[in-house]
Amino acid sequence: MKGKLNKKSMTLLVSCSFIAQICFAQYNWTNYDTSNSGMVTNDIRCISNDRLGNTWLGFTVGSFSPYQLIKFDGTNWTTYDTSNSGLPFDGIISLKADTNNNLWVGSQSTGGLIKYDGTTWTVYNTSNSGIISNSISSIALDNMNRIWVGSFQWGLSIFDGTTWVSHNQLNWSIPNNCIHCIAFDDSNKVWFGFDCNGGIAVLNLSDSSWTYYNTGNSNLPSNYISSIAKDTLGNMWVGFALQFPGVAKFSGSNWTTFTPFQDSNTWIPYNSMVFDNDNNLWMGTMGEGLYKFDGTNWTQFGNPLPDTGISSLYQSVSINVDNKLWYGEAHTGLWTTDLTIGINENNFKSNEFALYPNPNDGSFVVVLRGIHEQKIKLNIYSVLGQIVYEEEIHNNGSGSKKINVNGLAPGLYFVGIIVNDKTFNAKFIKQ
């Protein structure tokens, strides 16, 4: 069973300093720039992937880019601007695809929030809806498919498809209105990361209670939050825009800090931390390019990637349903690699884990070979990374376990098997 967070418990600060190795191989990288793609500028603002395998790129409209949005399906580049879409004339700094494959687009300053269902463009702004601001800094999706949008200076709005509910300091107990990132943990809580020296506020959706983390009441190393992400074990990871050159991990009671960067001025762009299927942390940086953390070692990627790279300012990294990483760098454009090529030494061997049949109707068998631990944790994740099923398996030596999740909606899911510090993920299709 999951433990309940005790807000009055003491926190322990563990500080870890690493010298990151620069990785020149292991992954095969493909680079798209103005010379070989549909882009006319390499300065991508944000990246997101939908469940259909499309990669979406947002741009700052102006002299450098005549269009605002690009869809890349692996072969074709489709551009969108005010002339061929319902996009208002504004830069794009946040993107999110929901479970119904609607794309939600966040504007930089005046355009509001835009929904694109593949045919129709719908604009929500302060003139025609209850949205709190036309400047959208972050977009998140909860397990009820509600859209949560944060703004730079005005607070938050929640949209259930029909009704808007908005919050700020006037009607919510938040430190300020500068919400730069939103994330959901495994305990029905929403994490809000604030700029403007605000730290973190956590809302428990079960009882509407709040918990706060800042430099004054916890071991959080900075109050300027740029990114929050949840790993496959349920830990929450935080990136910073100012005052701390690194990241922090919250395990539920303890904060652990990591300082892998070579330059103390390096920081993490907004909403630029993601976890892959093997629980590796990937993050863009402003000044040192792309980093990966496998739980033990930090890797800074160089050659062919620029190891002094300036990552896209918003959502610089994204991972699609096929476990491919997409990374935006301001000078060299879009980079991608298949993460299944990289080998995580903490993973099981491929012949130690299997599931069948696949596709299935929600009933399938998990096969574990050569694993002797008595307790094994099994999680099933949606394509958004949300845990939709979890079970602790008691290993009786049979090597197999039947799982029944008939109640899940049809679609793609991931099974995560966790034994001690080892993890393995496999995907299946529920018909």
Side-chain angles (χ1 to χ4, degrees):
M1 284 181 71
K2 297 179 181 177
K4 188 174 182 180
L5 176 64
N6 182 356
K7 299 175 186 176
K8 295 182 180 179
S9 63
M10 297 293 291
T11 59
L12 172 67
L13 175 65
V14 182
S15 180
C16 305
S17 180
F18 298 87
I19 298 176
Q21 59 177 332
I22 295 180
C23 179
F24 297 96
Q26 188 179 11
Y27 296 97
N28 296 320
W29 292 94
T30 300
N31 179 219
Y32 299 101
D33 57 23
T34 56
S35 69
N36 66 353
S37 74
M39 300 185 296
V40 297
T41 177
N42 291 329
D43 190 8
I44 302 165
R45 295 282 93 177
C46 53
I47 303 171
S48 188
N49 295 96
D50 63 26
R51 300 174 68 189
L52 301 175
N54 299 308
T55 301
W56 294 87
L57 310 175
F59 297 85
T60 298
V61 68
S63 58
F64 295 106
S65 177
Y67 45 72
Q68 300 148 274
L69 185 66
I70 286 182
K71 181 182 76 172
F72 179 50
D73 64 7
T75 303
N76 302 306
W77 300 80
T78 305
T79 61
Y80 301 93
D81 57 26
T82 56
S83 68
N84 68 348
S85 75
L87 290 169
F89 186 81
D90 197 7
I92 293 172
I93 58 173
S94 52
L95 295 166
K96 187 70 175 180
D98 66 22
T99 56
N100 296 316
N101 292 315
N102 299 305
L103 181 71
W104 296 84
V105 181
S107 294
Q108 183 171 356
S109 55
T110 61
L113 182 71
I114 303 96
K115 174 186 173 184
Y116 179 51
D117 64 6
T119 304
T120 304
W121 300 82
T122 305
V123 178
Y124 300 96
N125 56 43
T126 55
S127 299
N128 67 6
S129 73
I131 197 169
I132 201 166
S133 173
N134 291 328
S135 175
I136 309 300
S137 58
S138 57
I139 306 173
L141 187 72
D142 67 18
N143 57 13
M144 294 187 289
N145 216 30
R146 295 181 301 179
I147 298 295
W148 297 60
V149 293
S151 71
F152 285 111
Q153 296 179 332
W154 300 99
L156 169 89
S157 292
I158 307 167
F159 184 51
D160 64 4
T162 304
T163 305
W164 288 92
V165 177
S166 294
H167 300 282
N168 55 29
Q169 282 186 294
L170 296 178
N171 62 0
W172 245 15
S173 300
I174 53 178
N176 60 49
N177 293 326
C178 304
I179 299 176
H180 273 186
C181 43
I182 305 168
F184 300 89
D185 68 13
D186 292 337
S187 302
N188 202 30
K189 296 171 185 174
V190 193
W191 288 59
F192 301 100
F194 295 84
D195 203 352
C196 313
N197 202 31
I200 295 171
V202 181
L203 173 63
N204 188 328
L205 295 176
S206 300
D207 60 12
S208 300
S209 61
W210 288 90
T211 304
Y212 306 95
Y213 301 104
N214 54 56
T215 57
N217 70 358
S218 73
N219 288 313
L220 190 72
S222 171
N223 290 330
Y224 294 86
I225 312 301
S226 64
S227 299
I228 301 178
K230 179 181 70 68
D231 68 20
T232 59
L233 300 177
N235 302 304
M236 303 302 291
W237 293 72
V238 180
F240 305 93
L242 286 174
Q243 296 182 347
F244 184 74
V247 299
K249 179 184 79 171
F250 185 65
S251 64
S253 58
N254 303 326
W255 286 98
T256 305
T257 60
F258 303 85
T259 54
F261 304 146
Q262 313 299 311
D263 190 332
S264 61
N265 294 316
T266 299
W267 57 284
I268 301 171
Y270 302 107
N271 297 300
S272 291
M273 297 167 56
V274 296
F275 285 88
D276 65 21
N277 294 343
D278 297 322
N279 206 34
N280 297 306
L281 170 64
W282 296 82
M283 61 187 186
T285 69
M286 300 302 284
E288 296 186 21
L290 180 68
Y291 271 81
K292 169 193 167 184
F293 182 53
D294 65 5
T296 303
N297 300 308
W298 289 92
T299 301
Q300 181 191 12
F301 286 81
N303 189 18
L305 278 72
D307 54 24
T308 57
I310 305 297
S311 301
S312 301
L313 187 55
Y314 310 91
Q315 292 180 229
S316 64
V317 285
S318 181
I319 296 175
N320 70 7
V321 294
D322 294 321
N323 208 29
K324 290 183 179 179
L325 178 83
W326 298 82
Y327 167 63
E329 201 277 328
H331 302 296
T332 57
L334 181 66
W335 296 83
T336 185
T337 187
D338 187 346
L339 296 181
T340 59
I341 296 174
I343 300 174
N344 184 343
E345 295 179 353
N346 289 329
N347 282 343
F348 301 137
K349 297 175 183 178
S350 60
N351 64 355
E352 290 180 323
F353 172 82
L355 66 84
Y356 69 89
N358 188 16
N360 57 65
D361 62 359
S363 294
F364 58 90
V365 175
V366 171
V367 180
L368 305 170
R369 306 183 183 96
I371 299 173
H372 305 291
E373 285 80 357
Q374 293 299 307
K375 293 183 179 180
I376 300 168
K377 186 176 182 181
L378 180 145
N379 291 338
I380 297 180
Y381 304 89
S382 71
V383 293
L384 301 174
Q386 298 164 337
I387 295 179
V388 294
Y389 178 86
E390 58 185 336
E391 181 178 350
E392 187 175 90
I393 300 174
H394 295 275
N395 191 358
N396 59 9
S398 66
S400 65
K401 170 69 176 178
K402 187 173 183 180
I403 305 297
N404 191 323
V405 286
N406 302 91
L408 291 180
L412 178 68
Y413 294 90
F414 296 93
V415 175
I417 298 291
I418 304 166
V419 181
N420 298 326
D421 293 329
K422 297 180 180 180
T423 15
F424 188 83
N425 293 277
K427 59 186 177 183
F428 74 93
I429 296 175
K430 199 269 186 179
Q431 295 178 328

mmCIF file of all heavy atoms in Angstrom, residues 185-205:
data_model
loop_
_atom_site.group_PDB
_atom_site.id
_atom_site.type_symbol
_atom_site.label_atom_id
_atom_site.label_comp_id
_atom_site.label_asym_id
_atom_site.label_seq_id
_atom_site.Cartn_x
_atom_site.Cartn_y
_atom_site.Cartn_z
ATOM 1 N N ASP A 185 0.928 13.709 -9.221
ATOM 2 C CA ASP A 185 1.650 12.585 -8.631
ATOM 3 C C ASP A 185 0.745 11.360 -8.535
ATOM 4 O O ASP A 185 -0.372 11.349 -9.076
ATOM 5 C CB ASP A 185 2.277 12.968 -7.289
ATOM 6 C CG ASP A 185 1.238 13.221 -6.181
ATOM 7 O OD1 ASP A 185 0.052 12.868 -6.357
ATOM 8 O OD2 ASP A 185 1.629 13.779 -5.142
ATOM 9 N N ASP A 186 1.208 10.319 -7.842
ATOM 10 C CA ASP A 186 0.439 9.073 -7.741
ATOM 11 C C ASP A 186 -0.517 9.057 -6.554
ATOM 12 O O ASP A 186 -1.159 8.034 -6.291
ATOM 13 C CB ASP A 186 1.400 7.885 -7.614
ATOM 14 C CG ASP A 186 2.190 7.640 -8.881
ATOM 15 O OD1 ASP A 186 1.720 8.068 -9.947
ATOM 16 O OD2 ASP A 186 3.269 7.029 -8.799
ATOM 17 N N SER A 187 -0.611 10.171 -5.818
ATOM 18 C CA SER A 187 -1.446 10.228 -4.617
ATOM 19 C C SER A 187 -2.600 11.206 -4.760
ATOM 20 O O SER A 187 -3.056 11.783 -3.776
ATOM 21 C CB SER A 187 -0.586 10.620 -3.401
ATOM 22 O OG SER A 187 0.470 9.715 -3.218
ATOM 23 N N ASN A 188 -3.047 11.412 -6.010
ATOM 24 C CA ASN A 188 -4.169 12.307 -6.292
ATOM 25 C C ASN A 188 -3.872 13.737 -5.863
ATOM 26 O O ASN A 188 -4.729 14.433 -5.313
ATOM 27 C CB ASN A 188 -5.457 11.819 -5.609
ATOM 28 C CG ASN A 188 -6.714 12.361 -6.261
ATOM 29 O OD1 ASN A 188 -6.739 12.631 -7.458
ATOM 30 N ND2 ASN A 188 -7.761 12.526 -5.472
ATOM 31 N N LYS A 189 -2.642 14.167 -6.120
ATOM 32 C CA LYS A 189 -2.226 15.521 -5.789
ATOM 33 C C LYS A 189 -1.701 16.232 -7.029
ATOM 34 O O LYS A 189 -1.117 15.600 -7.912
ATOM 35 C CB LYS A 189 -1.147 15.512 -4.704
ATOM 36 C CG LYS A 189 -1.625 14.944 -3.369
ATOM 37 C CD LYS A 189 -0.475 14.752 -2.405
ATOM 38 C CE LYS A 189 -0.949 14.081 -1.124
ATOM 39 N NZ LYS A 189 0.182 13.747 -0.227
ATOM 40 N N VAL A 190 -1.920 17.539 -7.062
ATOM 41 C CA VAL A 190 -1.435 18.373 -8.151
ATOM 42 C C VAL A 190 -0.284 19.225 -7.633
ATOM 43 O O VAL A 190 -0.417 19.888 -6.606
ATOM 44 C CB VAL A 190 -2.535 19.301 -8.711
ATOM 45 C CG1 VAL A 190 -2.089 19.919 -10.021
ATOM 46 C CG2 VAL A 190 -3.837 18.560 -8.889
ATOM 47 N N TRP A 191 0.825 19.219 -8.377
ATOM 48 C CA TRP A 191 1.993 20.017 -8.021
ATOM 49 C C TRP A 191 2.070 21.234 -8.935
ATOM 50 O O TRP A 191 2.004 21.096 -10.158
ATOM 51 C CB TRP A 191 3.262 19.184 -8.174
ATOM 52 C CG TRP A 191 3.432 18.131 -7.126
ATOM 53 C CD1 TRP A 191 2.578 17.096 -6.843
ATOM 54 C CD2 TRP A 191 4.525 17.996 -6.221
ATOM 55 N NE1 TRP A 191 3.065 16.335 -5.821
ATOM 56 C CE2 TRP A 191 4.267 16.853 -5.420
ATOM 57 C CE3 TRP A 191 5.702 18.714 -6.012
ATOM 58 C CZ2 TRP A 191 5.153 16.428 -4.424
ATOM 59 C CZ3 TRP A 191 6.581 18.292 -5.030
ATOM 60 C CH2 TRP A 191 6.305 17.163 -4.239
ATOM 61 N N PHE A 192 2.181 22.399 -8.310
ATOM 62 C CA PHE A 192 2.320 23.642 -9.059
ATOM 63 C C PHE A 192 3.703 24.226 -8.798
ATOM 64 O O PHE A 192 4.110 24.388 -7.643
ATOM 65 C CB PHE A 192 1.262 24.663 -8.636
ATOM 66 C CG PHE A 192 -0.159 24.193 -8.825
ATOM 67 C CD1 PHE A 192 -0.895 23.709 -7.752
ATOM 68 C CD2 PHE A 192 -0.759 24.236 -10.073
ATOM 69 C CE1 PHE A 192 -2.196 23.273 -7.913
ATOM 70 C CE2 PHE A 192 -2.065 23.795 -10.251
ATOM 71 C CZ PHE A 192 -2.788 23.320 -9.172
ATOM 72 N N GLY A 193 4.420 24.516 -9.873
ATOM 73 C CA GLY A 193 5.720 25.164 -9.754
ATOM 74 C C GLY A 193 5.598 26.633 -10.098
ATOM 75 O O GLY A 193 5.053 26.997 -11.147
ATOM 76 N N PHE A 194 6.091 27.488 -9.205
ATOM 77 C CA PHE A 194 5.943 28.932 -9.367
ATOM 78 C C PHE A 194 7.287 29.593 -9.659
ATOM 79 O O PHE A 194 8.326 29.205 -9.106
ATOM 80 C CB PHE A 194 5.371 29.553 -8.091
ATOM 81 C CG PHE A 194 3.975 29.105 -7.763
ATOM 82 C CD1 PHE A 194 3.749 27.925 -7.082
ATOM 83 C CD2 PHE A 194 2.889 29.860 -8.151
ATOM 84 C CE1 PHE A 194 2.468 27.497 -6.782
ATOM 85 C CE2 PHE A 194 1.592 29.455 -7.859
ATOM 86 C CZ PHE A 194 1.383 28.265 -7.176
ATOM 87 N N ASP A 195 7.235 30.573 -10.515
ATOM 88 C CA ASP A 195 8.343 31.503 -10.661
ATOM 89 C C ASP A 195 8.090 32.635 -9.662
ATOM 90 O O ASP A 195 7.318 32.478 -8.719
ATOM 91 C CB ASP A 195 8.417 32.013 -12.094
ATOM 92 C CG ASP A 195 9.796 32.520 -12.472
ATOM 93 O OD1 ASP A 195 10.668 32.632 -11.597
ATOM 94 O OD2 ASP A 195 10.006 32.810 -13.658
ATOM 95 N N CYS A 196 8.736 33.772 -9.852
ATOM 96 C CA CYS A 196 8.494 34.932 -8.989
ATOM 97 C C CYS A 196 8.749 34.600 -7.512
ATOM 98 O O CYS A 196 8.019 35.068 -6.623
ATOM 99 C CB CYS A 196 7.087 35.472 -9.159
ATOM 100 S SG CYS A 196 6.557 35.689 -10.872
ATOM 101 N N ASN A 197 9.736 33.702 -7.257
ATOM 102 C CA ASN A 197 10.151 33.370 -5.894
ATOM 103 C C ASN A 197 9.048 32.652 -5.116
ATOM 104 O O ASN A 197 8.950 32.782 -3.899
ATOM 105 C CB ASN A 197 10.591 34.629 -5.143
ATOM 106 C CG ASN A 197 11.497 34.334 -3.968
ATOM 107 O OD1 ASN A 197 12.248 33.377 -3.995
ATOM 108 N ND2 ASN A 197 11.425 35.154 -2.938
ATOM 109 N N GLY A 198 8.223 31.846 -5.813
ATOM 110 C CA GLY A 198 7.057 31.240 -5.170
ATOM 111 C C GLY A 198 7.229 29.822 -4.676
ATOM 112 O O GLY A 198 6.419 29.353 -3.874
ATOM 113 N N GLY A 199 8.243 29.082 -5.160
ATOM 114 C CA GLY A 199 8.419 27.706 -4.734
ATOM 115 C C GLY A 199 7.369 26.762 -5.296
ATOM 116 O O GLY A 199 6.950 26.890 -6.452
ATOM 117 N N ILE A 200 6.911 25.827 -4.470
ATOM 118 C CA ILE A 200 5.981 24.789 -4.902
ATOM 119 C C ILE A 200 4.770 24.753 -3.977
ATOM 120 O O ILE A 200 4.904 24.865 -2.767
ATOM 121 C CB ILE A 200 6.663 23.404 -4.882
ATOM 122 C CG1 ILE A 200 7.805 23.352 -5.910
ATOM 123 C CG2 ILE A 200 5.668 22.284 -5.156
ATOM 124 C CD1 ILE A 200 8.657 22.111 -5.808
ATOM 125 N N ALA A 201 3.591 24.582 -4.565
ATOM 126 C CA ALA A 201 2.367 24.335 -3.806
ATOM 127 C C ALA A 201 1.753 23.038 -4.309
ATOM 128 O O ALA A 201 1.686 22.801 -5.521
ATOM 129 C CB ALA A 201 1.381 25.483 -3.952
ATOM 130 N N VAL A 202 1.319 22.184 -3.372
ATOM 131 C CA VAL A 202 0.752 20.880 -3.730
ATOM 132 C C VAL A 202 -0.680 20.817 -3.214
ATOM 133 O O VAL A 202 -0.932 20.970 -2.016
ATOM 134 C CB VAL A 202 1.585 19.735 -3.128
ATOM 135 C CG1 VAL A 202 0.989 18.389 -3.535
ATOM 136 C CG2 VAL A 202 3.042 19.832 -3.568
ATOM 137 N N LEU A 203 -1.618 20.589 -4.116
ATOM 138 C CA LEU A 203 -3.034 20.490 -3.774
ATOM 139 C C LEU A 203 -3.457 19.030 -3.725
ATOM 140 O O LEU A 203 -3.308 18.292 -4.712
ATOM 141 C CB LEU A 203 -3.881 21.240 -4.802
ATOM 142 C CG LEU A 203 -5.399 21.084 -4.679
ATOM 143 C CD1 LEU A 203 -5.910 21.653 -3.362
ATOM 144 C CD2 LEU A 203 -6.104 21.750 -5.859
ATOM 145 N N ASN A 204 -3.980 18.601 -2.591
ATOM 146 C CA ASN A 204 -4.544 17.264 -2.457
ATOM 147 C C ASN A 204 -5.993 17.303 -2.954
ATOM 148 O O ASN A 204 -6.853 17.937 -2.333
ATOM 149 C CB ASN A 204 -4.481 16.812 -1.000
ATOM 150 C CG ASN A 204 -4.865 15.354 -0.816
ATOM 151 O OD1 ASN A 204 -5.690 14.818 -1.553
ATOM 152 N ND2 ASN A 204 -4.271 14.715 0.175
ATOM 153 N N LEU A 205 -6.259 16.640 -4.054
ATOM 154 C CA LEU A 205 -7.602 16.685 -4.633
ATOM 155 C C LEU A 205 -8.617 15.904 -3.810
ATOM 156 O O LEU A 205 -9.824 16.085 -3.971
ATOM 157 C CB LEU A 205 -7.561 16.139 -6.059
ATOM 158 C CG LEU A 205 -6.749 16.958 -7.071
ATOM 159 C CD1 LEU A 205 -6.712 16.263 -8.419
ATOM 160 C CD2 LEU A 205 -7.324 18.359 -7.214
#
